[in-house]
Amino acid sequence: MEIVLKKNTELERSLKVVVSAKEFTQKIVDQLSKIQQSAKIDGFRKGKVPINIVRKRFGQEAKNEVINNLIQTTFQEAVVSEKISPVAPPEVNVTNAIEGEDLIYMAIFEVFPDVEVLPFPELEIQRDKVSIVDSDVDKIVHKLQEQHKNWEEKDGISITGDKIRISFKGLIKGKPFEGGDAEDFDFILGSGQMLKDFDEGLVGVAKDDEKKIKVQFPKEYPSKEVANQTAVFNVSVKSVESPVLPDITEEFVKKLGFDSGSIAEMRQEIHKKIEAESEQMIGKKIFQQILDKNLAKADFLLPKVLLEKEIENSKALIRQQWIAQGEKLDEESKKFTKQVNEEAKKRLKTALVVSELVKSSSVSVSQDEIKERIEAFARTYKDPSEVIKWYSENPNQIQALESTILEQKLVDHAIANCVIEDVETTFDDLSNPMQTSKS
């Protein structure tokens, strides 16, 4: 076999492969002999059809089969020999396939770019150190109370945190607009469910009150019809209710799933969960630092075939974002195309960097590790077999789990090999960095 490798562009390669006439001819003869053994032709017993008749009847079929097989095997041998890594199957053009002559074909394909990552010992990483305190547990307990709260009607005026029932009609320049009216609508003041002007305008009202509220819709409001417009709402207050939190009793604790009813056991379990959640968040922050530092230095071309595939994946993601934001979907617009292309490039670049980090750190995930993780997760459910079955039927979820384990192993490798600076922080700062920084 002769191989001629040519570099067309930075990532595109063309590979000319020549299979000798002798090998090509022999493969066709072998394939015809194989067909002869099972061929059924009227007037002949199975396996007794003369080879010249087999060739006449099945010659082209045998030749095509041989060509396909030779291309597959010789291409793989060639890329191994040349130490190249195609990103996808090649485009193949057979330039000569005359029996008795050399089989010649040209394969065009892209290779993976050379991705250089920073050596782990050169990376300076900040690691959060968190000590879980009683007040952290208290906040979770309070959230559990909030989730199980009851409501009671109040005679006084509304305050933030109260639930009110209203009917309203909104007008913009004296005309009604879509979504501007509702009957017997419930919401909690201060929850962020409604626009700020509307919400604040209903603090201090009581049952049976009638009120006019002026509301300024923001420029970026999803509905273009009302964005940057001023509306006047006529509101009728039907009821005002205040929250009533349940007491932390044995009965309440049992309701949360602790059969013993022990408050101490509940708090201990919450403490463990906060610790586990903290470790997970710390790991994710370390992983993001590793990524950010490498992406900032990364400078390589992206394979077109992979980018095209990622663009299709990103279209679905950006499409969902536009719909969720209430933006009119226009997939032909420059804005949509730009967003899709930027997202695709970012995702592909990240994937290639992570792949190289995995190689450079020599971390890997075995099938046994994945199986153990699935089984451990399944044991937290009443019917573990259903969870295991669900994973077996969803290979994408297994792939996602493998990625998660790889990420954790990369973090462990980083902690063992990077320059680590420990930073004392609180669970609140760790879990709500934006909120705490604003306050």
Side-chain angles (χ1 to χ4, degrees), residues 132-150:
I132 309 304
V133 294
D134 284 344
S135 60
D136 295 322
V137 177
D138 292 339
K139 288 172 184 175
I140 301 299
V141 172
H142 183 72
K143 286 181 181 178
L144 292 170
Q145 288 177 284
E146 284 280 350
Q147 290 169 11
H148 292 82
K149 66 189 171 189
N150 294 310

Side-chain angles (χ1 to χ4, degrees), residues 287-302:
F287 181 72
Q288 194 58 52
Q289 288 178 73
I290 298 168
L291 264 186
D292 290 344
K293 289 176 184 293
N294 277 285
L295 287 170
K297 296 281 186 180
D299 183 21
F300 53 85
L301 294 176
L302 300 174

Side-chain angles (χ1 to χ4, degrees), residues 131-145 248 263-275 427-428:
S131 296
I132 309 304
V133 294
D134 284 344
S135 60
D136 295 322
V137 177
D138 292 339
K139 288 172 184 175
I140 301 299
V141 172
H142 183 72
K143 286 181 181 178
L144 292 170
Q145 288 177 284
I248 307 300
I263 296 173
E265 181 189 346
M266 176 194 71
R267 291 183 65 87
Q268 186 178 22
E269 191 61 31
I270 291 172
H271 193 284
K272 287 180 183 177
K273 287 186 176 180
I274 294 175
E275 283 184 332
F427 179 66
D428 274 349

Side-chain angles (χ1 to χ4, degrees), residues 235-248:
V235 183
S236 300
V237 182
K238 302 298 182 70
S239 67
V240 178
E241 296 179 326
S242 57
V244 180
L245 300 183
D247 293 329
I248 307 300

Side-chain angles (χ1 to χ4, degrees), residues 163-221:
K163 180 168 72 173
I164 64 172
R165 175 169 294 178
I166 58 173
S167 292
F168 60 86
K169 290 183 179 179
L171 301 173
I172 293 178
K173 297 178 180 177
K175 296 180 180 180
F177 57 94
E178 186 177 352
D181 62 276
E183 292 289 332
D184 295 331
F185 179 77
D186 291 347
F187 80 100
I188 298 172
L189 290 171
S191 64
Q193 183 180 353
M194 308 298 284
L195 289 173
K196 184 179 179 183
D197 292 346
F198 194 90
D199 191 298
E200 291 179 351
L202 288 166
V203 173
V205 298
K207 182 181 178 181
D208 298 328
D209 278 359
E210 300 283 335
K211 189 167 185 182
K212 284 185 182 290
I213 303 174
K214 184 182 286 187
V215 174
Q216 177 65 44
F217 284 90
K219 290 181 180 179
E220 63 277 9
Y221 195 76

Side-chain angles (χ1 to χ4, degrees), residues 125-132 275 277-289 411 415 420-433:
I125 301 294
Q126 288 190 337
R127 174 176 59 181
D128 292 309
K129 299 293 285 184
V130 180
S131 296
I132 309 304
E275 283 184 332
E277 188 179 339
S278 296
E279 286 301 316
Q280 194 175 39
M281 288 189 288
I282 290 167
K284 285 193 174 296
K285 286 184 70 175
I286 291 174
F287 181 72
Q288 194 58 52
Q289 288 178 73
V411 169
I415 291 172
I420 301 294
E421 177 191 359
D422 286 328
V423 179
E424 294 291 336
T425 188
T426 65
F427 179 66
D428 274 349
D429 286 338
L430 182 65
S431 52
N432 301 299

